[in-house]
Amino acid sequence: MPITAFLDIHVKTESLADAPDILHETLIVTRAFNGCLGVDVLVDTEDPTHFVLVEKWASLEHDAAYRTFRAGPGKSPLGAVLAGPPLLTKFEIATDI
C-alpha cells in the first residue's frame, strides 16, 4: 500500500542561502530511488527556515529501504544545515472512512 511521509525540518538561519541547493541535490537522489512516487517541498509562508517535504512511497518497505540508504552509504549533506533533528511521520490512506 502506498504511503505518504512528511519530513518536517528547520534549517539554520545562517544556512538559509545554501539550503535550497542542498535540498535540490539531495532530492535528485531521493526522487530516483526505487519506490519513490514523488516529493514536494513546502516552505512555511511565515518562516523561511521551515520546510516540509511531502514524500510519496510505493510501500512502507520502499520507504524503509530509502531510510536505511540515507543512514548509510547515501548520507546527504542536508544534516549539516539543519537547526535540529527532523520530524518524520508516515501515513497511509484510510480506505474505510
Side-chain angles (χ1 to χ4, degrees):
M1 171 176 281
I3 67 156
T4 301
F6 291 87
L7 185 66
D8 193 320
I9 62 172
H10 287 81
V11 300
K12 299 173 191 169
T13 303
E14 63 270 18
S15 299
L16 188 55
D18 298 326
D21 288 339
I22 292 171
L23 273 167
H24 177 75
E25 291 302 316
T26 300
L27 292 177
I28 289 172
V29 174
T30 303
R31 290 175 173 132
F33 200 85
N34 183 38
C36 182
L37 304 176
V39 180
D40 291 320
V41 179
L42 307 177
V43 182
D44 189 322
T45 59
E46 296 184 18
D47 178 1
T49 68
H50 183 203
F51 297 83
V52 175
L53 285 67
V54 181
E55 306 172 7
K56 304 229 180 191
W57 292 95
S59 68
L60 276 171
E61 293 77 20
H62 286 97
D63 175 76
Y66 171 73
R67 305 293 166 201
T68 299
F69 166 74
R70 283 297 189 195
K75 188 170 180 155
S76 82
L78 183 59
V81 300
L82 296 183
L87 175 63
L88 176 66
T89 51
K90 301 174 189 179
F91 297 86
E92 57 186 30
I93 295 172
T95 58
D96 60 339
I97 299 176

